[in-house]
């Protein structure tokens, strides 16, 4: 497991909780608008934290922190993720997992074992355009190797599980899409709304360009335009909100 970043305190990554965030390197997607280029292309060069670094801090901050967010990259490409989360649970933390949804079996097993309390799953685009927007990649050294077609099948399975297979009394999930002017249109959200209809939470996140983006140069929609997409979606997904909009 390559731990490439550690935010020791955050009020943003785990809603309604003071948390720490662990960033794992490596991903089986190559979304051109990804904000974590170094975690994708050269994760081993940035693996500057050990598991013991993480747990030493979590043990010391139990009186101040209530949650841990595990993000990436894509955490579920690691076979030892369940063991890592179990150690966090042993310290009585809530756990939020950020994922692209390509490993539904792991998501289900983590849920069944009560090792996750919250999942934030990215919805990259509508199914017809998913491969282009997500930049599917096969990882030979991953916990699984899948074609682009199978990856989309896995994403669909994760969506269905989160909507229909989880207990809202003990578990929270959200879907989210980073909205990029060059990659998303009203038709994208027509597809997404039909696909995840009935989801409990869906966030439209504004794209932000930076030197860390995998392929810089994309552009954001205005707040008014994002609100228009949200209004369009609400008949299908009542709880749609904007996030990261100035």
């Amino acid at each position: 497991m390559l731990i490439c970043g550690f935010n020791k305190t955050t009020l943003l990554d785990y809603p309604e909780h003071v948390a720490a965030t662990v960033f794992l390197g490596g991903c089986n997607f190559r979304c051109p608008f990804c904000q974590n280029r170094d975690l994708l292309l050269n994760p081993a060069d940035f693996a500057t934290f050990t598991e013991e670094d993480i747990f030493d801090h979590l043990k010391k901050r139990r009186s101040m922190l209530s949650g841990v967010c595990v993000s990436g990259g894509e955490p579920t490409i690691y076979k030892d993720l369940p063991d890592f989360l179990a150690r966090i649970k042993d310290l009585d933390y809530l756990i939020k997992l950020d994922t692209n949804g390509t490993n539904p079996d792991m998501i289900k097993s983590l849920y069944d074992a009560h090792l996750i309390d919250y999942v934030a799953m990215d919805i990259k685009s509508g199914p017809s355009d998913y491969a282009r927007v997500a930049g599917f990649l096969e990882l030979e050294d991953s916990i699984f190797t899948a074609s682009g077609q199978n990856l989309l099948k896995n994403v669909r399975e994760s969506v269905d599980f989160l909507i229909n297979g989880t207990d809202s009394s003990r578990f929270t999930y959200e879907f989210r899409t980073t909205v990029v002017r060059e990659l998303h249109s009203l038709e994208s959200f027509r597809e997404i709304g039909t696909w995840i209809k009935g989801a409990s939470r869906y966030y439209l996140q504004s794209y932000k360009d930076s030197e860390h983006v995998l392929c810089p140069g994309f552009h954001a929609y205005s707040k008014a335009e994002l609100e228009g997409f949200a209004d369009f979606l609400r008949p299908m997904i009542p709880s749609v909100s904007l996030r990261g909009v100035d």
Side-chain angles (χ1 to χ4, degrees):
M1 181 178 291
L2 298 175
I3 302 176
C4 299
F6 184 40
N7 186 350
K8 295 182 178 181
T9 306
T10 174
L11 299 175
L12 300 176
D13 292 344
Y14 198 139
E16 301 179 6
H17 291 280
V18 180
T21 301
V22 180
F23 296 92
L24 303 183
C27 187
N28 52 350
F29 280 178
R30 287 295 181 269
C31 306
F33 54 90
C34 179
Q35 295 281 342
N36 291 324
R37 179 183 61 206
D38 293 334
L39 271 65
L40 303 185
L41 301 182
N42 304 295
D45 294 342
F46 294 88
T48 54
F49 296 91
T50 68
E51 290 190 22
E52 294 315 310
D53 292 331
I54 305 303
F55 287 106
D56 285 348
H57 178 76
L58 293 181
K59 289 173 184 176
K60 293 175 184 176
R61 299 299 294 273
R62 276 187 287 187
S63 63
M64 299 182 64
L65 302 174
S66 58
V68 177
C69 178
V70 180
S71 189
E74 174 50 42
T76 66
I77 66 173
Y78 291 101
K79 292 180 181 179
D80 50 351
L81 178 65
D83 294 335
F84 181 68
L85 299 187
R87 289 187 65 188
I88 296 174
K89 272 295 178 188
D90 285 344
L91 297 175
D92 294 325
Y93 283 105
L94 297 170
I95 297 176
K96 174 175 173 279
L97 176 69
D98 292 348
T99 181
N100 62 24
T102 52
N103 193 346
D105 289 341
M106 179 171 284
I107 293 172
K108 292 174 186 176
S109 67
L110 294 174
Y111 172 83
D112 289 341
H114 292 243
L115 293 179
I116 49 176
D117 304 281
Y118 194 129
V119 162
M121 180 178 157
D122 293 320
I123 301 293
K124 302 301 182 179
S125 189
S128 69
D129 206 26
Y130 222 88
R132 180 177 75 96
V133 177
F136 289 153
L137 179 73
E138 295 182 16
L139 294 183
E140 296 295 339
D141 59 348
S142 175
I143 57 171
F144 62 95
T145 300
S147 67
Q149 183 177 2
N150 286 335
L151 287 176
L152 180 54
K153 177 178 177 291
N154 290 346
V155 170
R156 286 182 177 275
E157 187 175 337
S158 294
V159 167
D160 181 69
F161 173 70
L162 291 174
I163 294 176
N164 299 308
T166 58
D167 179 359
S168 61
S169 68
R170 73 168 181 90
F171 182 80
T172 304
Y173 73 87
E174 68 175 59
F175 297 119
R176 59 195 187 181
T177 298
T178 298
V179 187
V180 184
R181 181 174 291 277
E182 290 82 358
L183 299 176
H184 299 99
S185 66
L186 187 64
E187 183 57 32
S188 305
F189 294 106
R190 188 187 311 277
E191 283 194 39
I192 292 171
T194 301
W195 179 17
I196 66 170
K197 185 176 182 179
S200 59
R201 294 172 183 82
Y202 181 44
Y203 293 94
L204 301 182
Q205 302 182 158
S206 182
Y207 169 78
K208 295 186 184 299
D209 201 24
S210 80
E211 63 183 80
H212 302 292
V213 173
L214 184 60
C215 300
F218 291 110
H219 299 87
Y221 279 101
S222 69
K223 182 177 182 180
E225 288 170 318
L226 291 173
E227 287 284 10
F229 290 141
D231 289 341
F232 173 79
L233 286 160
R234 286 191 178 104
M236 296 174 277
I237 312 164
S239 182
V240 179
S241 302
L242 304 187
R243 180 182 279 162
V245 179
D246 296 330

